[in-house]
Amino acid sequence: KSGNQIISFGLRYFNGIGKYTKTSGAYFVNTRYTEAPLVNDYCEYQTDSLDKTNFINITYYDPIKKIVSGTFSFSLKLNFSSPDKNTCDTIIDITEGRFDLRYYQ
């Protein structure tokens, strides 16, 4: 593939430190390619809402300093309606992910 693939995720409902799973609808995952030469030259992926191994775990939260840290793990499967199925990986496994972020309101 040309271009870069971007995988982003976020929490819909933030309740502080704890584990957020897809089964509760607490987070979302988006995937897309940038700089694709054609409009239909990209892969779309989705998480399985019943897969309990997918999670975002908030391990540290400081509302005064506006810092949040955590870990995450996702197994992304090629979306059936993805425009470019021929050159896409069927599954992308992301394990042992970690983030440390400063956020702004």
Side-chain angles (χ1 to χ4, degrees):
K1 299 298 277 176
S2 61
N4 298 311
Q5 184 167 14
I6 297 171
I7 300 172
S8 60
F9 62 89
L11 293 174
R12 284 192 179 97
Y13 314 107
F14 181 71
N15 295 317
I17 293 174
K19 188 179 249 187
Y20 296 81
T21 63
K22 184 74 174 190
T23 54
S24 65
Y27 69 83
F28 61 89
V29 176
N30 293 321
T31 63
R32 67 181 174 88
Y33 272 94
T34 62
E35 303 173 15
L38 302 171
V39 172
N40 291 331
D41 186 23
Y42 65 95
C43 306
E44 287 183 4
Y45 293 89
Q46 63 187 19
T47 56
D48 182 349
S49 62
L50 300 176
D51 186 345
K52 294 182 179 167
T53 62
N54 295 330
F55 67 87
I56 298 172
N57 188 27
I58 303 299
T59 57
Y60 178 80
Y61 172 56
D62 185 332
I64 305 299
K65 294 181 181 177
K66 298 187 187 304
I67 295 173
V68 63
S69 300
T71 59
F72 59 93
S73 178
F74 302 116
S75 181
L76 305 172
K77 296 176 182 162
L78 185 64
N79 189 332
F80 178 73
S81 62
S82 186
D84 189 2
K85 294 183 195 66
N86 297 325
T87 59
C88 300
D89 293 325
T90 306
I91 295 175
I92 297 175
D93 285 318
I94 301 170
T95 59
E96 299 181 26
R98 174 160 177 71
F99 60 91
D100 295 291
L101 302 170
R102 181 174 299 270
Y103 65 91
Y104 303 92
Q105 293 179 315

